[in-house]
Structure formats: C-alpha cells, structure tokens
C-alpha cells in the first residue's frame, strides 16, 4: 500500500473518530509529519491536495520546503520538534506554526523578532505531561505561570498546547490533562495524538494530530 492509500484510510478513520466523539466533520487538522522523507516522497501528497505538513528540524525543513512551498501555494508548515534559541530567526522564515514553545529564553527570542517587525507564526506551548527529564516541555504545574509570562511580559499570542505522552503509558490521561489545562487558560488548539494514538486524541478534543509513519511507512532513522 502506498502513501496515498494509507492517507485515504487515515482520513476515513479520522472522520469516524470525529463522529464517535460527537464532533463536527473537519474539526481535526491532520498534520502530515514529513521529517526524514525527501521531496520525492512528499510531492504525491501535495499533488493530491494536502497542504499541512510537519517537520522536526529547522535545517531539514530549509533543505526541502522553500522550493516545495513555491511550487505548491497554500502550504502550512508546522515545526513539531524542539527549537534552539539561535535558530528562531531562521525558523520564522520557514514555519507557519510552532508547537514547541517550552522555555523563557525561547519566548524572549520570539518577542525580540516580533519587535523587529517579523511576523510570528501561530504558537503552541509544549507541555511535558509525563514530566520526563529527557523531553522538552513545561511541566503541568508551571504552564499557567509560563503562559501568563508569554502573554504579558513577552507579548506573545499563544493559541494552544502540545504534548507527547510517555511511550510506556496509556495516552488518554495525558490528553485529558492537556485539555483541562487548555480549558482553564482559554486556549482553543490542542496538538496531540500521533500515528499510534490519534483516534484516542480525537476523543479527548485534539484539534491537530501529527501523523507520519502511518502515512509514509516506517522511517529508516529518526
């Protein structure tokens, strides 16, 4: 089965999950995670009309996407991996949405770029719901204060939250926690759910799901 057939199957499953959760058709945006896949693998999806893609690294996105965006107008490119502070300017020239705002220094750099007149992408705070030391993200108890700082001290408009649940735990409690934090802070976007758990994420209110390997096939490297 090729990527277009797998994509069609996933679209059917997304629609079914939306119905099951009592949500409107089209409530969930599919972010096709194209990290590690080259332009040749991505073009068939673009030709089929897909326009929302995700990448993990600024350098890799810079290699692939400027030319693809020029050829296929309307692409919305999401940065779903961590962002180094020294890569902020470059990231803002490439990405339309950043899912990994997770620390004071990054908020400060984004604010500086905005002050210089550069348009900021749409922002999500990354929440480390499992409090895993090897992962980026704000721990749940610190999200409210960090969000307040982003808004009031740095002048950043944050739309929502993102999480990656621990691989060895059931994802549902993590999705429920993310939704609870978003609700109390008036945030509308919930970026949660990947290839293995996106249907559960939809049941818990995901507005964006990040799916790559279930569309492209398994990656040779991360």
């Amino acid at each position: 089965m090729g990527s277009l057939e797998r994509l069609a199957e996933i679209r059917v499953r997304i629609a079914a999950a939306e119905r099951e959760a009592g949500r409107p058709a089209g409530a969930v945006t599919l972010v096709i995670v194209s990290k590690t896949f080259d332009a040749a693998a991505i073009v068939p999806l673009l030709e089929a009309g897909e326009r929302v893609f995700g990448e993990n690294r600024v350098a890799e996105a810079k290699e692939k996407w400027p030319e693809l965006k020029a050829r296929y107008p309307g692409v919305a490119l999401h940065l779903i991996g961590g962002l180094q502070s020294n890569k902020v300017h470059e990231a803002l020239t490439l990405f339309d949405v950043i899912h990994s705002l997770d620390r004071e220094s990054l908020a400060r750099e984004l604010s500086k770029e905005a002050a210089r007149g550069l348009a900021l992408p749409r922002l999500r705070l990354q929440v480390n719901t499992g409090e895993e030391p090897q992962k980026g993200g704000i721990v749940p108890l610190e999200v409210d204060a960090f969000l307040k700082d982003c808004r009031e001290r740095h002048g950043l408009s944050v739309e929502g939250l993102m999480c990656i649940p621990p691989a060895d735990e059931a994802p549902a409690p993590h999705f429920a926690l993310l939704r609870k934090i978003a609700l109390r802070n008036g945030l509308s976007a919930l970026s949660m759910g990947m290839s293995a758990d996106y249907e559960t994420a939809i049941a818990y209110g995901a507005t964006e799901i990040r799916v790559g390997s279930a569309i492209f096939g398994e990656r040779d490297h991360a």
Side-chain angles (χ1 to χ4, degrees):
M1 185 184 293
S3 61
L4 291 177
E5 289 82 7
R6 288 190 287 264
L7 172 64
E9 185 176 287
I10 286 166
R11 288 282 187 201
V12 169
R13 291 174 65 177
I14 290 170
E18 287 172 336
R19 287 194 302 272
E20 181 71 19
R23 301 180 61 191
V28 179
T29 297
L30 170 61
V31 180
I32 299 174
V33 180
S34 49
K35 67 174 186 177
T36 79
F37 292 100
D38 61 17
I42 298 167
V43 163
L45 299 167
L46 288 163
E47 289 284 348
E50 295 298 327
R51 289 295 182 270
V52 184
F53 291 83
E55 291 283 343
N56 261 37
R57 297 183 176 94
V58 173
E60 183 183 347
K62 188 178 178 182
E63 288 177 7
K64 296 188 294 196
W65 281 100
E67 182 183 349
L68 289 172
K69 277 188 153 189
R71 287 168 56 192
Y72 297 95
V75 166
L77 192 60
H78 294 232
L79 178 63
I80 59 174
L83 176 58
Q84 296 174 320
S85 296
N86 64 355
K87 296 278 189 182
V88 166
H89 181 83
E90 201 168 26
L92 299 193
T93 67
L94 290 165
F95 291 97
D96 303 283
V97 187
I98 290 176
H99 292 235
S100 49
L101 174 54
D102 66 352
R103 62 195 185 280
E104 173 74 18
S105 61
L106 184 53
R108 190 164 54 246
E109 287 302 315
L110 287 165
S111 182
K112 284 180 184 177
E113 293 294 343
R116 294 183 185 117
L118 201 59
L120 294 184
R122 304 197 306 278
L123 299 173
R124 286 95 178 84
L125 299 188
Q126 183 173 349
V127 182
N128 189 343
T129 55
E131 301 191 32
E132 298 172 277
Q134 77 279 15
K135 277 186 184 171
I138 306 292
V139 297
L141 286 176
E142 295 176 4
V143 172
D144 293 8
F146 180 63
L147 180 62
K148 187 172 187 286
D149 272 356
C150 286
R151 288 168 166 167
E152 297 180 6
R153 184 185 302 176
H154 300 296
L156 300 177
S157 177
V158 177
E159 290 184 355
L161 306 175
M162 182 270 263
C163 76
I164 305 170
D168 59 350
E169 295 183 20
H174 296 272
F175 297 154
L177 174 59
L178 199 72
R179 184 178 184 216
K180 181 180 178 181
I181 297 169
L183 285 172
R184 73 170 178 249
N185 284 288
L187 299 171
S188 59
L190 282 174
S191 170
M192 58 189 196
M194 299 186 288
S195 290
D197 57 18
Y198 64 86
E199 288 158 305
T200 301
I202 291 170
Y204 281 87
T207 61
E208 295 162 330
I209 57 172
R210 311 177 306 271
V211 179
S213 58
I215 295 171
F216 289 104
E218 291 303 318
R219 296 179 174 84
D220 292 332
H221 56 282

